[in-house]
Amino acid sequence: MKKLTVTIALVGALLGASATAGVIPRDVSLAPVVKEVAPAVVNISTRGTIEVRRSPMFDDPMFRRFFNIPDSPQRRQTASLGSGVIIDASKGLVLTNHHVIGQADKITVHLMDGRDYEATVVGSDEDSDVAVLEIDADNLSELKLGDSDALEVGDYVLAVGNPFGLGHTVTSGIVSAKGRSGLGIENYEDFIQTDAAINRGNSGGALVNLQGELVGINTAILGPGGGNAGIGFAIPTRMVQAVMSQILEYGSVERGLLGILGQAVNADIARSFGLKEVRGAVVTLVQDDSGAKKAGLKEDDVIVAVDGRPVDDFQDLRNAVGLKRPGDEVELTVIRDGKTREIRATLGAYEQLAQARSVESSLGGARLGPIPNDHPLAGEVDGVMVEAIEDGSVAAGAGLQRGDLITHINRRRVTSLEEAEAIIGSAERFLIKVRRGNAAFFVVID
């Protein structure tokens, strides 16, 4: 391994020197890294059975009888190809994506040396798209888990996998970005973005650094027709390791629940709260009987770190909490009224929460009034209600809706229409908190 490290250092130096000279020396090669890594990357083929979706007409018994259609649902065989990474040679443990094996009845792992083994699923997590398989095999190679947090944009990486079923294929590139989320690919997203060519069949394969360490599991691409366009995504090993640990210890993944709603801190919110940085997650609602409530977390608190790790936005906070189990304790770094404090909270059991929306707009064109007695939140929430919104107004374009409740203006609680009008009439810029059903969010008005 010492020789490999020295070779990599020389490669890096030569690549840097060659950029100036305009010529890459003939003896510069990433082959030592590939030889170390490739035997631990496997090809995965699966076979399964899925129920075929059919027209609602087929649910009519007379229609089925007339056309002699069987009552049992129709099924068809499926087959798919993907990749995987051996991370424990002694136990035969293989990492891959959930979507590679999620619908499989039979999973076959193909090693680089030509051996094939039927695999069993140790556990799988659809939300993070991570799965752990096991094969009964000897003389395996494994990849060491690297530190994905240590990656920097511009670092060289290699993608190894099974694109289009071609077998072991290696491509190279750089880290294009880190912490990509909000793509709608997975429920929990914190992707490494790379321009190393990733294509169909690379899913579950290895993204490695020039030390031959696994830093990510290749997962998705953005490109026309599913082809490579220089934008690929990998799950960082930090997330993979947390999910894998739960799978190996418990057989499944359970996620802790802090019990809040919130949104990302943007420039307007940072300015209104007097924050020095535009980052963090602002708490808009604390659920009753939640771990957050019991720990003393309050609305308008801005969470900037979890267990000492910085939080960039609300998605980042959700990822950090979602990698822990119910009953785990987390230390939250919170800014409240301009002062930083540490709050320890015990996570409850996970349940799906309505997500807060981010809204940036003016209230122009929105008419306010008292909360009527028949409003679903009447008696539970104090404030004023948006009675009507003009078509084409800035309020309508911003996403405000008839029936929204305004509970705070400029961080002052509003309990009546008179209070709301007094605050609005004495200021030119507003930070407004809105309640809509079970969600709560801020609107900044200039």
Side-chain angles (χ1 to χ4, degrees):
M1 191 65 185
K2 183 177 181 182
K3 181 180 178 182
L4 174 64
T5 305
V6 172
T7 303
I8 292 166
L10 288 172
V11 168
L14 289 170
L15 285 174
S18 66
T20 303
V23 178
I24 298 177
R26 295 183 62 183
D27 58 344
V28 172
S29 174
L30 297 175
V33 188
V34 175
K35 288 177 181 178
E36 185 83 9
V37 167
V41 180
V42 302
N43 300 335
I44 295 176
S45 61
T46 68
R47 293 196 175 276
T49 305
I50 62 172
E51 185 174 326
V52 179
R53 296 181 62 183
R54 60 187 188 181
S55 168
M57 290 189 300
F58 287 87
D59 295 330
D60 186 337
M62 294 187 64
F63 184 89
R64 292 200 306 270
R65 189 160 52 248
F66 183 82
F67 288 99
N68 196 28
I69 298 172
D71 289 338
S72 58
Q74 299 297 301
R75 297 179 178 274
R76 66 177 177 86
Q77 296 293 313
T78 64
S80 68
L81 296 172
S83 306
V85 183
I86 301 172
I87 44 85
D88 191 324
S90 63
K91 297 179 180 178
L93 297 180
V94 179
L95 275 173
T96 188
N97 286 139
H98 167 84
H99 76 260
V100 171
I101 55 89
Q103 296 180 326
D105 297 324
K106 181 179 180 180
I107 304 168
T108 303
V109 170
H110 309 273
L111 304 184
M112 188 177 182
D113 61 13
R115 290 181 291 167
D116 294 343
Y117 294 94
E118 188 168 343
T120 57
V121 179
V122 178
S124 190
D125 179 47
E126 183 175 4
D127 287 337
S128 64
D129 201 15
V130 174
V132 180
L133 310 178
E134 184 177 13
I135 58 175
D136 185 8
D138 298 321
N139 300 319
L140 298 175
S141 298
E142 68 181 40
L143 275 189
K144 178 184 177 183
L145 293 179
D147 182 5
S148 57
D149 286 347
L151 281 178
E152 295 184 10
V153 174
D155 281 351
Y156 286 103
V157 286
L158 303 177
V160 188
N162 179 32
F164 303 111
L166 293 174
H168 281 71
T169 301
V170 181
T171 56
S172 66
I174 63 168
V175 174
S176 305
K178 293 177 61 179
R180 289 296 195 208
S181 63
L183 303 174
I185 299 172
E186 312 297 351
N187 201 7
Y188 286 84
E189 298 180 338
D190 187 22
F191 291 123
I192 301 166
Q193 181 181 327
T194 177
D195 67 348
I198 296 175
N199 291 286
R200 294 182 186 275
N202 272 111
S203 291
L207 188 73
V208 300
N209 58 23
L210 292 189
Q211 284 70 49
E213 299 169 331
L214 182 72
V215 292
I217 297 294
N218 299 323
T219 296
I221 55 175
L222 289 182
N228 171 60
I231 302 178
F233 300 101
I235 305 169
T237 50
R238 180 178 60 83
M239 179 178 285
V240 170
Q241 208 162 3
V243 173
M244 182 178 66
S245 295
Q246 285 205 40
I247 289 175
L248 295 180
E249 185 171 355
Y250 304 102
S252 62
V253 176
E254 292 185 23
R255 290 186 162 82
L257 175 70
L258 186 57
I260 65 168
L261 292 179
Q263 67 187 84
V265 172
N266 57 28
D268 288 328
I269 291 176
R271 190 160 51 246
S272 298
F273 278 66
L275 302 176
K276 296 180 181 178
E277 296 181 278
V278 184
R279 71 173 187 87
V282 58
V283 178
T284 59
L285 182 68
V286 181
Q287 290 189 319
D288 292 334
D289 299 322
S290 65
K293 188 82 169 181
K294 295 172 184 176
L297 207 62
K298 296 182 178 181
E299 295 180 10
D300 299 354
D301 282 348
V302 179
I303 301 173
V304 295
V306 176
D307 293 334
R309 179 184 173 84
V311 167
D312 292 329
D313 51 32
F314 190 74
Q315 179 68 34
D316 205 15
L317 171 65
R318 184 170 177 268
N319 285 339
V321 172
L323 293 177
K324 298 182 179 294
R325 290 180 67 85
D328 285 352
E329 190 175 68
V330 293
E331 184 174 69
L332 307 173
T333 303
V334 174
I335 298 177
R336 179 184 297 170
D337 297 327
K339 298 180 180 179
T340 302
R341 62 182 68 199
E342 304 294 328
I343 295 177
R344 301 194 71 84
T346 301
L347 302 180
Y350 178 83
E351 59 186 275
Q352 193 66 36
L353 290 177
Q355 298 301 309
R357 286 184 58 190
S358 294
V359 181
E360 299 177 6
S361 73
S362 160
L363 278 181
R367 187 178 75 234
L368 306 181
I371 300 175
N373 293 331
D374 60 351
H375 192 281
L377 296 176
E380 178 183 337
V381 176
D382 291 327
V384 294
M385 188 183 78
V386 178
E387 289 186 336
I389 298 180
E390 297 178 11
D391 291 338
S393 67
V394 290
L400 284 175
Q401 298 178 7
R402 182 177 180 274
D404 283 348
L405 303 186
I406 295 174
T407 60
H408 295 74
I409 301 177
N410 288 350
R411 304 182 69 181
R412 291 166 57 186
R413 184 174 292 278
V414 173
T415 60
S416 67
L417 184 60
E418 291 74 16
E419 289 180 357
E421 291 175 338
I423 299 172
I424 292 172
S426 62
E428 296 181 356
R429 190 172 185 277
F430 312 101
L431 178 69
I432 296 178
K433 183 181 287 186
V434 178
R435 278 290 303 270
R436 179 183 298 160
N438 292 325
F441 51 92
F442 283 105
V443 174
V444 175
I445 301 176
D446 283 317

